[in-house]
Amino acid sequence: MPSKPTVDHPETAPSWLAHWPAESEVRAQFPEGIRRLAYRFLGIERRKRLSWDDSRLVFELGTHQATWRWDGQRWRRSCSCGYVNDACAHVYAAACMLSEVCRSGRWSAAATAAVGAPPPSAAPEGAAAGSVDAAAGGPGTAASDAA
């Protein structure tokens, strides 16, 4: 059984998970330096909280708040850090933590067609298209990818 991510988060999958971008899409939107910084932040910051509602993912990392908002057609990103665009390390860290939570909960896009529906126990991890399994770039945790 996968270990639980070290982040506070809701116990049920988000209703918009079927719209979440594939792991390769998320990774491609952030330069390598930003991804490395995100892994560093995830490793050193103690305060981590992931939350969501019907249209957004919010990640509190230290004193910053990163948001991914689904507008019905695409994801819009923002962060309180003041980075010059919407591709900061906090926003990428939010995607990485969602990936870890989904892996831990064995949630996939197909399993969340009904709001908060638990996935079938026989379904393999990351089997559904659009799965966020390993958004950090492959098997393992974001922290292990940073090494």
Side-chain angles (χ1 to χ4, degrees):
M1 174 150 196
S3 61
K4 278 207 166 231
T6 56
V7 62
D8 291 332
H9 64 84
E11 294 299 317
T12 58
S15 59
W16 42 256
L17 191 56
H19 300 290
W20 189 254
E23 60 202 58
S24 58
E25 291 177 55
V26 171
R27 188 174 175 83
Q29 293 174 27
F30 296 85
E32 182 180 347
I34 294 294
R35 294 191 313 260
R36 288 182 186 269
L37 187 58
Y39 301 145
R40 185 171 170 210
F41 288 164
L42 288 170
I44 62 174
E45 187 58 60
R46 290 181 182 212
R47 184 173 177 264
K48 297 177 216 162
R49 182 172 181 263
L50 198 61
S51 60
W52 50 77
D53 62 23
D54 289 340
S55 64
R56 85 185 70 185
L57 167 72
V58 177
F59 183 49
E60 296 172 33
L61 182 63
T63 60
H64 297 293
Q65 182 173 324
T67 303
W68 289 71
R69 185 177 57 83
W70 177 247
D71 69 6
Q73 296 181 354
R74 69 183 194 114
W75 287 98
R76 299 189 181 271
R77 305 177 303 221
S78 63
C79 186
S80 64
C81 73
Y83 190 67
V84 296
N85 63 36
D86 66 352
C88 74
H90 305 100
V91 170
Y92 184 70
C96 291
M97 288 310 308
L98 179 62
S99 174
E100 292 298 312
V101 168
C102 288
R103 188 175 9 270
S104 171
R106 296 180 181 261
W107 299 337
S108 68
T112 58
V115 177
S121 59
E125 289 182 45
S131 171
V132 295
D133 188 36
T141 65
S144 68
D145 286 347

